[in-house]
Amino acid sequence: MAENKKLDRRDFIQKGARITLGASLAGIGIAAATKASAEKYVWQIDPFKCTQCGRCATDCVKNPSAVKCVHAYDLCGYCDLCGGYFKPGANKLETGAENQLCPTAAIERRFIEEPYFEFIIDEELCIGCGKCVKGCGAFGNGSLHLQIRHDLCDNCNECAIARVCPSDAISRIPASQAYIIKGNFTETQES
Amino acid sequence: MSKKGLSILIVAIIVVIIGIIIIDFIGNNALNRGGNPYEYNVDEYKEVDPSLIHYKETKNIALGDIIPRGMDIFKGDIYITGENFLKVIGIHGVQKLNISLEESGICVLARDEFIIAGLEQEVLIFDHMGKLINSWKPDTETTYITSLAILNNILFVADAGNRRVLKYTTEGNYLGEFEGKSESDDQHGFIIPSPHFDMVVNEFDELWIVNPGKHAIENYNEKGELRGFWASSSMNIEGFTGCCNPAEIAVLSNGSFVTSEKGMVRIKIYSQSGELESVVAAPEKFQEEGTAPDVKVDENDVVYALDFDRKLIRVFEKKLSE
């Protein structure tokens, strides 16, 4: 007849501690392995869904917003009369502040050759309001569009802009494809 | 604190928390937020004086589940091309001919002897039974054909991709090309920021070509020499707005132009020298930020607009009082 072996308190505590420690280590190991193999996700704007509601400028936890206007140069018409640069009914097609659409003058208009102009975004000044994007889309080729800049974004668990975006244009995408750029500008750069 | 008092306090805290959640939810609801402080507003330019509108929409023809790209009106029939088709439709909407295309048709031109379809990079000529007579491709990969016109048996092909107009015989023999540059440097040449590059031949055998980047309509002879032009830039109803307008044109029997604009979609009539005569359809008639309708005119000066957004051919006739 087998003798029932009684655990004393010390053995019980020692065994319990070993099991707890083992389970914890196993858990950490599994978590680390999962994290190492899982792809990281980041927030990004789908420019084809974006309606330029202005909330990227007003609702981002960063000030100024981590959303910036980007320019797909291969789509741009390099127009003299740029709908993204000049406000409706501008007095003259020149760089006077009264003619500019951007509330922070974040777009530089640079002469190339008659009658073509290049438009360059100054990201330091851009607040991501999307006003130029709307003008470009309405009256131009839609080469200006908004993107979340990942060097500025905190990648919050719940994006404050995504929460209020009326067109559900912001979602998490794999960090390996962190930008949704219009045109084939990025492909051209890579090639 | 008594048990009852504690219960009341807990219930009150729960009510407050629920209230905060509801207020936060409503506050963040897209429909209940204030207006956009950065709104791009062109509403004031969409208003059109009703006395300027001399046309009314009298009919429309639904195109069904097809993707139209271009249209022509010839001898009472509507010629329409688009995603892999070229169709001939009677004025009452009955289909008379359907030709399958391997690629998308962009523009179409009908004459007594043939129907010409412009694909992105190819010209196809069919007889009126739908049989392919001839076809050819321009020489460059960046060609994007947007319009066709015939003057003195020369077929003019507008190539938006290369900012040029090509000239061919109807058998496909290349006769030359021009880029709209004049010796006196009055005009820079064709400036085509987007694939809208239209042209038309009027009743007086004049070739008029849109230079959309200059908001101009230019007259060329068959050699491709600039004879004259007019231009009109403005957000107001008197002019053309945006990067590249007018996107489409047609001509009335008296030589006046019917123009169709993108961005702020509107159809207007201009005299041959560029004065605004009247409005056919104000922006309110079209989808906001929609595509510029292709416009054509029949022998009675009735204006046909191919509304790409609503997939309709919309017919506008002059009001009887005008």
Side-chain angles (χ1 to χ4, degrees), chain A residues 52-55 57-59 75-77 79 81 83 86 88-89 101 103 114-116 127 129 131 134-135 137-141 163-164 166, chain B residues 24 28 30 33-34 36-42 45 163 188 190-194 214-215 233 235 240-244 262-264 289:
Chain A
Q52 301 89 43
C53 65
R55 290 175 195 172
T58 58
D59 284 72
L75 288 180
C76 181
C79 309
L81 203 173
F86 290 108
L101 179 66
E114 192 62 39
Y116 299 107
I127 57 169
C129 67
K131 202 169 182 178
K134 190 84 171 175
F139 293 105
N141 289 350
R163 205 165 149 235
V164 296
Chain B
D24 183 60
N28 283 322
R33 290 170 64 95
N36 177 6
Y38 304 104
E39 189 177 1
Y40 183 88
N41 195 336
V42 290
Y45 299 102
R163 296 176 291 188
H188 178 276
F190 299 127
I191 298 164
I192 319 291
S194 62
K214 300 289 279 183
H215 293 158
S233 293
M235 282 295 278
F240 303 120
T241 187
C243 71
C244 25
K262 75 187 196 94
M264 191 154 52
E289 293 174 30

Short mmCIF file of all heavy atoms in Angstrom, two decimals, chain A residues 52-55 57-59 75-77 79 81 83 86 88-89 101 103 114-116 127 129 131 134-135 137-141 163-164 166, chain B residues 24 28 30 33-34 36-42 45 163 188 190-194 214-215 233 235 240-244 262-264 289:
data_model
loop_
_atom_site.label_atom_id
_atom_site.label_comp_id
_atom_site.label_asym_id
_atom_site.label_seq_id
_atom_site.Cartn_x
_atom_site.Cartn_y
_atom_site.Cartn_z
N GLN A 52 -11.05 65.19 -47.43
CA GLN A 52 -10.46 66.47 -47.01
C GLN A 52 -11.39 67.23 -46.06
O GLN A 52 -11.71 68.40 -46.29
CB GLN A 52 -10.09 67.34 -48.22
CG GLN A 52 -9.12 66.70 -49.18
CD GLN A 52 -9.79 65.89 -50.27
OE1 GLN A 52 -10.78 66.31 -50.84
NE2 GLN A 52 -9.27 64.72 -50.58
N CYS A 53 -11.81 66.55 -44.99
CA CYS A 53 -12.77 67.13 -44.05
C CYS A 53 -12.11 68.12 -43.09
O CYS A 53 -12.80 68.86 -42.39
CB CYS A 53 -13.45 66.03 -43.25
SG CYS A 53 -12.29 65.13 -42.20
N GLY A 54 -10.80 68.12 -43.02
CA GLY A 54 -10.08 69.05 -42.14
C GLY A 54 -9.73 68.47 -40.78
O GLY A 54 -9.01 69.08 -40.00
N ARG A 55 -10.25 67.27 -40.47
CA ARG A 55 -10.05 66.71 -39.12
C ARG A 55 -8.63 66.19 -38.89
O ARG A 55 -8.22 66.03 -37.74
CB ARG A 55 -11.08 65.61 -38.86
CG ARG A 55 -12.44 66.24 -38.73
CD ARG A 55 -13.53 65.24 -38.60
NE ARG A 55 -14.80 65.93 -38.85
CZ ARG A 55 -15.95 65.35 -38.97
NH1 ARG A 55 -16.03 64.04 -38.86
NH2 ARG A 55 -17.03 66.04 -39.20
N ALA A 57 -6.15 67.91 -39.41
CA ALA A 57 -5.48 69.08 -38.82
C ALA A 57 -5.96 69.33 -37.39
O ALA A 57 -5.18 69.75 -36.54
CB ALA A 57 -5.73 70.31 -39.68
N THR A 58 -7.22 69.06 -37.14
CA THR A 58 -7.80 69.45 -35.84
C THR A 58 -7.80 68.34 -34.79
O THR A 58 -7.90 68.63 -33.61
CB THR A 58 -9.26 69.94 -36.02
OG1 THR A 58 -10.02 68.88 -36.63
CG2 THR A 58 -9.33 71.17 -36.90
N ASP A 59 -7.71 67.08 -35.19
CA ASP A 59 -7.92 66.00 -34.23
C ASP A 59 -6.70 65.14 -33.92
O ASP A 59 -6.76 64.27 -33.05
CB ASP A 59 -9.06 65.09 -34.69
CG ASP A 59 -10.41 65.74 -34.46
OD1 ASP A 59 -10.74 66.69 -35.19
OD2 ASP A 59 -11.12 65.33 -33.52
N LEU A 75 1.93 62.86 -61.45
CA LEU A 75 0.54 63.16 -61.82
C LEU A 75 0.33 64.65 -62.05
O LEU A 75 -0.68 65.06 -62.63
CB LEU A 75 -0.41 62.72 -60.69
CG LEU A 75 -0.64 61.23 -60.48
CD1 LEU A 75 -1.60 61.03 -59.31
CD2 LEU A 75 -1.21 60.58 -61.72
N CYS A 76 1.25 65.46 -61.57
CA CYS A 76 1.07 66.92 -61.59
C CYS A 76 1.16 67.46 -63.02
O CYS A 76 1.96 67.00 -63.82
CB CYS A 76 2.14 67.57 -60.71
SG CYS A 76 2.00 69.36 -60.65
N GLY A 77 0.32 68.45 -63.30
CA GLY A 77 0.36 69.09 -64.62
C GLY A 77 1.30 70.27 -64.66
O GLY A 77 1.47 70.90 -65.68
N CYS A 79 0.93 73.16 -63.59
CA CYS A 79 0.12 74.24 -64.16
C CYS A 79 0.51 75.60 -63.59
O CYS A 79 0.89 75.72 -62.43
CB CYS A 79 -1.35 74.01 -63.85
SG CYS A 79 -1.92 72.38 -64.28
N LEU A 81 -1.91 77.97 -63.46
CA LEU A 81 -3.08 78.15 -62.60
C LEU A 81 -3.33 76.85 -61.83
O LEU A 81 -4.07 75.98 -62.28
CB LEU A 81 -4.31 78.50 -63.43
CG LEU A 81 -5.47 79.22 -62.73
CD1 LEU A 81 -6.51 79.66 -63.74
CD2 LEU A 81 -6.11 78.45 -61.62
N GLY A 83 -4.92 74.72 -58.96
CA GLY A 83 -6.08 74.77 -58.07
C GLY A 83 -5.72 74.47 -56.63
O GLY A 83 -6.46 74.80 -55.71
N PHE A 86 -3.60 78.28 -55.71
CA PHE A 86 -4.33 79.56 -55.72
C PHE A 86 -5.72 79.39 -55.14
O PHE A 86 -6.40 78.40 -55.43
CB PHE A 86 -4.42 80.10 -57.14
CG PHE A 86 -3.11 80.57 -57.68
CD1 PHE A 86 -2.45 79.86 -58.66
CD2 PHE A 86 -2.52 81.72 -57.17
CE1 PHE A 86 -1.23 80.29 -59.14
CE2 PHE A 86 -1.29 82.15 -57.65
CZ PHE A 86 -0.64 81.42 -58.63
N PRO A 88 -9.73 80.20 -54.82
CA PRO A 88 -10.70 80.52 -55.87
C PRO A 88 -10.82 82.03 -56.04
O PRO A 88 -10.93 82.77 -55.06
CB PRO A 88 -12.01 79.93 -55.33
CG PRO A 88 -11.59 78.89 -54.35
CD PRO A 88 -10.31 79.38 -53.76
N GLY A 89 -10.79 82.47 -57.28
CA GLY A 89 -10.93 83.89 -57.56
C GLY A 89 -9.72 84.72 -57.19
O GLY A 89 -9.84 85.91 -56.91
N LEU A 101 -3.95 79.68 -51.38
CA LEU A 101 -5.02 78.91 -50.75
C LEU A 101 -4.59 78.36 -49.39
O LEU A 101 -5.38 78.30 -48.46
CB LEU A 101 -5.40 77.75 -51.69
CG LEU A 101 -6.48 76.78 -51.26
CD1 LEU A 101 -7.83 77.49 -51.18
CD2 LEU A 101 -6.58 75.62 -52.24
N PRO A 103 -3.51 77.94 -45.76
CA PRO A 103 -3.61 78.86 -44.63
C PRO A 103 -2.26 79.12 -43.95
O PRO A 103 -2.13 80.08 -43.19
CB PRO A 103 -4.59 78.17 -43.68
CG PRO A 103 -4.53 76.73 -44.03
CD PRO A 103 -4.23 76.68 -45.50
N GLU A 114 8.57 78.60 -68.99
CA GLU A 114 7.27 79.11 -69.42
C GLU A 114 6.47 78.02 -70.11
O GLU A 114 6.98 77.39 -71.03
CB GLU A 114 7.47 80.31 -70.36
CG GLU A 114 6.20 81.10 -70.65
CD GLU A 114 5.61 81.72 -69.40
OE1 GLU A 114 6.35 82.19 -68.54
OE2 GLU A 114 4.37 81.71 -69.29
N PRO A 115 5.26 77.71 -69.71
CA PRO A 115 4.49 78.29 -68.61
C PRO A 115 4.34 77.30 -67.44
O PRO A 115 3.28 77.18 -66.88
CB PRO A 115 3.14 78.53 -69.27
CG PRO A 115 2.99 77.31 -70.17
CD PRO A 115 4.39 76.87 -70.56
N TYR A 116 5.40 76.57 -67.11
CA TYR A 116 5.29 75.50 -66.12
C TYR A 116 5.88 75.87 -64.77
O TYR A 116 6.94 76.50 -64.69
CB TYR A 116 5.95 74.21 -66.65
CG TYR A 116 5.31 73.71 -67.91
CD1 TYR A 116 5.95 73.83 -69.14
CD2 TYR A 116 4.04 73.15 -67.89
CE1 TYR A 116 5.34 73.39 -70.31
CE2 TYR A 116 3.43 72.70 -69.05
CZ TYR A 116 4.08 72.83 -70.25
OH TYR A 116 3.48 72.41 -71.40
N ILE A 127 0.00 71.75 -42.06
CA ILE A 127 -0.76 71.27 -40.89
C ILE A 127 -1.72 70.14 -41.26
O ILE A 127 -2.49 69.69 -40.43
CB ILE A 127 -1.54 72.43 -40.23
CG1 ILE A 127 -2.47 73.11 -41.25
CG2 ILE A 127 -0.57 73.45 -39.61
CD1 ILE A 127 -3.45 74.09 -40.63
N CYS A 129 -4.33 70.13 -43.34
CA CYS A 129 -5.76 70.49 -43.40
C CYS A 129 -6.43 69.98 -44.67
O CYS A 129 -7.65 69.83 -44.71
CB CYS A 129 -5.94 72.00 -43.30
SG CYS A 129 -5.30 72.94 -44.71
N LYS A 131 -6.77 71.44 -47.56
CA LYS A 131 -7.43 72.44 -48.40
C LYS A 131 -6.85 72.42 -49.83
O LYS A 131 -7.59 72.47 -50.80
CB LYS A 131 -7.23 73.82 -47.77
CG LYS A 131 -8.24 74.84 -48.20
CD LYS A 131 -8.14 76.08 -47.32
CE LYS A 131 -9.19 77.10 -47.73
NZ LYS A 131 -9.17 78.29 -46.87
N LYS A 134 -8.06 69.39 -51.78
CA LYS A 134 -9.40 69.58 -52.33
C LYS A 134 -9.34 70.39 -53.63
O LYS A 134 -9.97 70.04 -54.62
CB LYS A 134 -10.26 70.31 -51.29
CG LYS A 134 -11.73 70.34 -51.62
CD LYS A 134 -12.42 69.08 -51.16
CE LYS A 134 -13.91 69.18 -51.29
NZ LYS A 134 -14.56 67.91 -50.95
N GLY A 135 -8.59 71.48 -53.60
CA GLY A 135 -8.48 72.33 -54.78
C GLY A 135 -7.83 71.62 -55.94
O GLY A 135 -8.24 71.74 -57.09
N GLY A 137 -7.72 68.35 -56.42
CA GLY A 137 -8.61 67.28 -56.90
C GLY A 137 -9.76 67.83 -57.73
O GLY A 137 -10.17 67.24 -58.72
N ALA A 138 -10.27 69.00 -57.31
CA ALA A 138 -11.43 69.57 -58.01
C ALA A 138 -11.05 70.16 -59.36
O ALA A 138 -11.75 69.97 -60.34
CB ALA A 138 -12.08 70.65 -57.14
N PHE A 139 -9.91 70.86 -59.40
CA PHE A 139 -9.58 71.60 -60.62
C PHE A 139 -8.29 71.14 -61.29
O PHE A 139 -7.92 71.66 -62.33
CB PHE A 139 -9.49 73.10 -60.30
CG PHE A 139 -10.82 73.68 -59.92
CD1 PHE A 139 -11.10 73.99 -58.60
CD2 PHE A 139 -11.80 73.88 -60.87
CE1 PHE A 139 -12.34 74.50 -58.25
CE2 PHE A 139 -13.03 74.40 -60.53
CZ PHE A 139 -13.31 74.71 -59.21
N GLY A 140 -7.60 70.19 -60.69
CA GLY A 140 -6.36 69.70 -61.28
C GLY A 140 -6.41 68.20 -61.47
O GLY A 140 -7.47 67.61 -61.67
N ASN A 141 -5.25 67.59 -61.37
CA ASN A 141 -5.14 66.14 -61.59
C ASN A 141 -5.20 65.32 -60.31
O ASN A 141 -5.13 64.10 -60.36
CB ASN A 141 -3.82 65.83 -62.29
CG ASN A 141 -3.82 66.30 -63.72
OD1 ASN A 141 -4.85 66.69 -64.25
ND2 ASN A 141 -2.66 66.29 -64.34
N ARG A 163 -10.69 57.87 -35.57
CA ARG A 163 -11.92 57.79 -34.78
C ARG A 163 -12.99 58.75 -35.32
O ARG A 163 -14.18 58.47 -35.22
CB ARG A 163 -11.56 58.15 -33.33
CG ARG A 163 -12.48 57.59 -32.30
CD ARG A 163 -11.83 57.70 -30.94
NE ARG A 163 -12.88 57.88 -29.96
CZ ARG A 163 -12.92 58.88 -29.09
NH1 ARG A 163 -11.97 59.77 -29.08
NH2 ARG A 163 -13.91 58.95 -28.25
N VAL A 164 -12.56 59.88 -35.86
CA VAL A 164 -13.54 60.89 -36.29
C VAL A 164 -13.58 61.05 -37.81
O VAL A 164 -14.30 61.91 -38.33
CB VAL A 164 -13.23 62.27 -35.65
CG1 VAL A 164 -13.39 62.20 -34.15
CG2 VAL A 164 -11.83 62.75 -36.01
N PRO A 166 -14.81 60.90 -41.27
CA PRO A 166 -16.16 60.61 -41.76
C PRO A 166 -16.19 59.64 -42.93
O PRO A 166 -17.25 59.12 -43.27
CB PRO A 166 -16.68 61.98 -42.18
CG PRO A 166 -15.46 62.76 -42.52
CD PRO A 166 -14.37 62.26 -41.63
N ASP B 24 -19.56 62.13 -25.26
CA ASP B 24 -18.34 61.94 -26.03
C ASP B 24 -18.63 61.32 -27.38
O ASP B 24 -18.11 61.74 -28.41
CB ASP B 24 -17.37 61.06 -25.23
CG ASP B 24 -16.05 60.89 -25.96
OD1 ASP B 24 -15.41 61.92 -26.21
OD2 ASP B 24 -15.70 59.75 -26.30
N ASN B 28 -18.19 63.13 -31.05
CA ASN B 28 -17.28 62.62 -32.07
C ASN B 28 -17.98 62.09 -33.30
O ASN B 28 -17.34 61.65 -34.24
CB ASN B 28 -16.39 61.51 -31.48
CG ASN B 28 -15.30 62.11 -30.62
OD1 ASN B 28 -14.75 63.15 -30.94
ND2 ASN B 28 -15.03 61.47 -29.50
N ALA B 30 -19.52 62.01 -36.72
CA ALA B 30 -19.21 62.85 -37.89
C ALA B 30 -20.33 63.83 -38.23
O ALA B 30 -20.10 64.93 -38.69
CB ALA B 30 -18.92 61.96 -39.09
N ARG B 33 -20.54 67.14 -35.69
CA ARG B 33 -19.42 68.05 -35.46
C ARG B 33 -19.63 69.35 -36.23
O ARG B 33 -20.41 69.42 -37.17
CB ARG B 33 -18.12 67.38 -35.89
CG ARG B 33 -17.73 66.24 -34.97
CD ARG B 33 -16.61 65.48 -35.57
NE ARG B 33 -15.41 66.30 -35.69
CZ ARG B 33 -14.43 66.35 -34.80
NH1 ARG B 33 -14.53 65.62 -33.72
NH2 ARG B 33 -13.39 67.10 -34.98
N GLY B 34 -18.93 70.35 -35.81
CA GLY B 34 -19.04 71.64 -36.48
C GLY B 34 -18.47 71.56 -37.89
O GLY B 34 -17.94 70.55 -38.31
N ASN B 36 -16.09 72.38 -41.26
CA ASN B 36 -14.65 72.29 -41.49
C ASN B 36 -14.05 73.70 -41.51
O ASN B 36 -14.38 74.51 -42.38
CB ASN B 36 -14.43 71.58 -42.83
CG ASN B 36 -12.97 71.50 -43.22
OD1 ASN B 36 -12.09 71.86 -42.43
ND2 ASN B 36 -12.72 71.01 -44.41
N PRO B 37 -13.16 74.01 -40.55
CA PRO B 37 -12.57 75.35 -40.55
C PRO B 37 -11.67 75.60 -41.76
O PRO B 37 -11.31 76.74 -42.04
CB PRO B 37 -11.75 75.37 -39.25
CG PRO B 37 -11.50 73.95 -38.92
CD PRO B 37 -12.65 73.17 -39.46
N TYR B 38 -11.31 74.52 -42.46
CA TYR B 38 -10.43 74.67 -43.63
C TYR B 38 -11.18 74.34 -44.93
O TYR B 38 -10.59 73.87 -45.89
CB TYR B 38 -9.21 73.75 -43.49
CG TYR B 38 -8.45 73.98 -42.22
CD1 TYR B 38 -8.56 73.08 -41.16
CD2 TYR B 38 -7.65 75.10 -42.06
CE1 TYR B 38 -7.87 73.30 -39.98
CE2 TYR B 38 -6.97 75.32 -40.89
CZ TYR B 38 -7.07 74.42 -39.85
OH TYR B 38 -6.40 74.64 -38.69
N GLU B 39 -12.46 74.56 -44.93
CA GLU B 39 -13.26 74.17 -46.08
C GLU B 39 -12.84 74.92 -47.35
O GLU B 39 -12.58 76.13 -47.33
CB GLU B 39 -14.74 74.45 -45.80
CG GLU B 39 -15.65 73.86 -46.87
CD GLU B 39 -17.11 74.08 -46.57
OE1 GLU B 39 -17.41 74.71 -45.54
OE2 GLU B 39 -17.93 73.63 -47.36
N TYR B 40 -12.79 74.18 -48.44
CA TYR B 40 -12.52 74.77 -49.76
C TYR B 40 -13.88 75.07 -50.38
O TYR B 40 -14.59 74.16 -50.80
CB TYR B 40 -11.74 73.77 -50.61
CG TYR B 40 -11.32 74.29 -51.97
CD1 TYR B 40 -10.13 74.97 -52.13
CD2 TYR B 40 -12.12 74.09 -53.09
CE1 TYR B 40 -9.74 75.44 -53.37
CE2 TYR B 40 -11.74 74.56 -54.33
CZ TYR B 40 -10.55 75.23 -54.47
OH TYR B 40 -10.16 75.70 -55.70
N ASN B 41 -14.23 76.33 -50.41
CA ASN B 41 -15.60 76.67 -50.77
C ASN B 41 -15.65 77.47 -52.07
O ASN B 41 -15.09 78.54 -52.18
CB ASN B 41 -16.22 77.49 -49.63
CG ASN B 41 -17.73 77.57 -49.76
OD1 ASN B 41 -18.27 77.42 -50.84
ND2 ASN B 41 -18.39 77.78 -48.65
N VAL B 42 -16.35 76.89 -53.06
CA VAL B 42 -16.52 77.60 -54.33
C VAL B 42 -18.01 77.81 -54.63
O VAL B 42 -18.39 78.05 -55.78
CB VAL B 42 -15.85 76.85 -55.51
CG1 VAL B 42 -14.35 76.89 -55.40
CG2 VAL B 42 -16.34 75.42 -55.60
N TYR B 45 -19.30 80.67 -56.73
CA TYR B 45 -19.06 80.64 -58.17
C TYR B 45 -20.00 79.67 -58.89
O TYR B 45 -20.05 79.64 -60.11
CB TYR B 45 -17.60 80.26 -58.44
CG TYR B 45 -16.63 81.24 -57.85
CD1 TYR B 45 -15.95 80.96 -56.67
CD2 TYR B 45 -16.41 82.48 -58.44
CE1 TYR B 45 -15.08 81.87 -56.10
CE2 TYR B 45 -15.54 83.40 -57.88
CZ TYR B 45 -14.88 83.09 -56.72
OH TYR B 45 -14.03 84.00 -56.16
N ARG B 163 1.07 66.14 -76.64
CA ARG B 163 0.71 67.55 -76.86
C ARG B 163 0.87 67.94 -78.33
O ARG B 163 1.55 68.89 -78.69
CB ARG B 163 1.57 68.47 -75.97
CG ARG B 163 1.32 68.25 -74.51
CD ARG B 163 2.23 69.07 -73.65
NE ARG B 163 3.60 68.61 -73.74
CZ ARG B 163 4.59 69.03 -72.99
NH1 ARG B 163 4.37 69.96 -72.10
NH2 ARG B 163 5.81 68.57 -73.12
N HIS B 188 2.10 79.55 -76.64
CA HIS B 188 3.25 78.72 -76.31
C HIS B 188 3.24 77.39 -77.03
O HIS B 188 4.26 76.76 -77.21
CB HIS B 188 3.26 78.48 -74.81
CG HIS B 188 4.38 77.61 -74.35
ND1 HIS B 188 4.31 76.24 -74.38
CD2 HIS B 188 5.61 77.90 -73.91
CE1 HIS B 188 5.44 75.73 -73.94
NE2 HIS B 188 6.25 76.72 -73.66
N PHE B 190 0.54 73.73 -77.43
CA PHE B 190 -0.51 73.05 -76.67
C PHE B 190 0.00 72.71 -75.26
O PHE B 190 1.07 72.12 -75.11
CB PHE B 190 -0.96 71.79 -77.39
CG PHE B 190 -1.55 72.06 -78.74
CD1 PHE B 190 -1.07 71.41 -79.86
CD2 PHE B 190 -2.58 72.98 -78.91
CE1 PHE B 190 -1.60 71.66 -81.12
CE2 PHE B 190 -3.12 73.25 -80.16
CZ PHE B 190 -2.62 72.58 -81.27
N ILE B 191 -0.77 73.10 -74.27
CA ILE B 191 -0.44 72.77 -72.87
C ILE B 191 -1.57 71.89 -72.36
O ILE B 191 -2.71 72.33 -72.23
CB ILE B 191 -0.30 74.05 -72.03
CG1 ILE B 191 0.86 74.88 -72.58
CG2 ILE B 191 -0.06 73.72 -70.56
CD1 ILE B 191 0.87 76.30 -72.11
N ILE B 192 -1.23 70.63 -72.10
CA ILE B 192 -2.26 69.63 -71.81
C ILE B 192 -1.95 68.99 -70.45
O ILE B 192 -1.33 67.92 -70.39
CB ILE B 192 -2.29 68.53 -72.91
CG1 ILE B 192 -2.11 69.12 -74.31
CG2 ILE B 192 -3.56 67.70 -72.81
CD1 ILE B 192 -3.26 69.95 -74.81
N PRO B 193 -2.36 69.60 -69.35
CA PRO B 193 -2.05 69.04 -68.04
C PRO B 193 -2.78 67.73 -67.73
O PRO B 193 -2.33 66.94 -66.93
CB PRO B 193 -2.48 70.13 -67.06
CG PRO B 193 -2.60 71.37 -67.89
CD PRO B 193 -3.01 70.90 -69.24
N SER B 194 -3.95 67.53 -68.33
CA SER B 194 -4.72 66.31 -68.09
C SER B 194 -5.26 65.83 -69.43
O SER B 194 -5.27 66.59 -70.40
CB SER B 194 -5.85 66.59 -67.10
OG SER B 194 -6.75 67.53 -67.64
N LYS B 214 -4.08 76.88 -71.43
CA LYS B 214 -4.13 78.33 -71.62
C LYS B 214 -5.56 78.86 -71.56
O LYS B 214 -5.79 80.04 -71.81
CB LYS B 214 -3.52 78.71 -72.98
CG LYS B 214 -2.07 78.31 -73.17
CD LYS B 214 -1.13 79.14 -72.33
CE LYS B 214 -0.83 80.46 -72.97
NZ LYS B 214 0.16 81.23 -72.19
N HIS B 215 -6.52 77.98 -71.29
CA HIS B 215 -7.95 78.36 -71.29
C HIS B 215 -8.32 79.01 -72.62
O HIS B 215 -9.05 79.99 -72.66
CB HIS B 215 -8.27 79.32 -70.14
CG HIS B 215 -8.14 78.69 -68.79
ND1 HIS B 215 -7.94 79.41 -67.65
CD2 HIS B 215 -8.17 77.40 -68.41
CE1 HIS B 215 -7.85 78.59 -66.62
NE2 HIS B 215 -7.99 77.36 -67.06
N SER B 233 -9.94 83.29 -68.81
CA SER B 233 -9.69 82.64 -67.51
C SER B 233 -10.44 83.37 -66.41
O SER B 233 -10.27 84.57 -66.24
CB SER B 233 -8.19 82.69 -67.17
OG SER B 233 -7.46 81.91 -68.06
N MET B 235 -12.86 82.32 -62.49
CA MET B 235 -13.74 81.43 -61.73
C MET B 235 -15.19 81.79 -62.01
O MET B 235 -16.09 80.98 -61.83
CB MET B 235 -13.48 81.59 -60.23
CG MET B 235 -12.25 80.88 -59.71
SD MET B 235 -12.30 79.09 -59.82
CE MET B 235 -13.25 78.66 -58.37
N PHE B 240 -13.11 80.35 -68.04
CA PHE B 240 -12.79 78.96 -67.74
C PHE B 240 -11.89 78.91 -66.51
O PHE B 240 -11.03 79.77 -66.34
CB PHE B 240 -12.08 78.30 -68.92
CG PHE B 240 -12.86 78.36 -70.20
CD1 PHE B 240 -12.35 79.01 -71.32
CD2 PHE B 240 -14.12 77.80 -70.29
CE1 PHE B 240 -13.06 79.09 -72.50
CE2 PHE B 240 -14.85 77.87 -71.47
CZ PHE B 240 -14.32 78.52 -72.58
N THR B 241 -12.09 77.92 -65.70
CA THR B 241 -11.35 77.83 -64.45
C THR B 241 -10.52 76.54 -64.40
O THR B 241 -10.59 75.71 -65.28
CB THR B 241 -12.33 77.91 -63.27
OG1 THR B 241 -11.57 77.99 -62.08
CG2 THR B 241 -13.22 76.69 -63.21
N GLY B 242 -9.73 76.42 -63.34
CA GLY B 242 -8.96 75.20 -63.13
C GLY B 242 -7.73 75.12 -64.00
O GLY B 242 -7.36 76.07 -64.70
N CYS B 243 -7.09 73.95 -63.95
CA CYS B 243 -5.83 73.77 -64.68
C CYS B 243 -6.03 73.66 -66.17
O CYS B 243 -5.17 74.04 -66.94
CB CYS B 243 -5.13 72.51 -64.20
SG CYS B 243 -5.94 70.97 -64.71
N CYS B 244 -7.21 73.15 -66.58
CA CYS B 244 -7.30 72.73 -67.98
C CYS B 244 -8.75 72.69 -68.44
O CYS B 244 -9.41 71.68 -68.26
CB CYS B 244 -6.63 71.38 -68.14
SG CYS B 244 -6.57 70.37 -66.64
N LYS B 262 -14.51 70.86 -66.64
CA LYS B 262 -14.33 69.96 -65.50
C LYS B 262 -14.06 70.77 -64.24
O LYS B 262 -13.84 71.97 -64.31
CB LYS B 262 -13.20 68.97 -65.77
CG LYS B 262 -11.79 69.52 -65.67
CD LYS B 262 -10.81 68.48 -66.13
CE LYS B 262 -9.40 68.81 -65.71
NZ LYS B 262 -8.97 68.21 -64.48
N GLY B 263 -14.07 70.11 -63.11
CA GLY B 263 -13.90 70.80 -61.83
C GLY B 263 -15.22 71.34 -61.36
O GLY B 263 -15.94 70.69 -60.59
N MET B 264 -15.57 72.53 -61.83
CA MET B 264 -16.90 73.07 -61.61
C MET B 264 -17.64 72.83 -62.92
O MET B 264 -17.51 73.61 -63.88
CB MET B 264 -16.80 74.56 -61.27
CG MET B 264 -18.09 75.14 -60.79
SD MET B 264 -17.80 76.57 -59.73
CE MET B 264 -16.71 77.57 -60.74
N GLU B 289 -17.93 68.17 -58.36
CA GLU B 289 -16.60 67.73 -58.77
C GLU B 289 -16.67 66.55 -59.74
O GLU B 289 -15.85 65.63 -59.69
CB GLU B 289 -15.74 67.36 -57.55
CG GLU B 289 -15.40 68.54 -56.68
CD GLU B 289 -14.68 68.16 -55.41
OE1 GLU B 289 -13.96 67.15 -55.43
OE2 GLU B 289 -14.84 68.87 -54.41
#
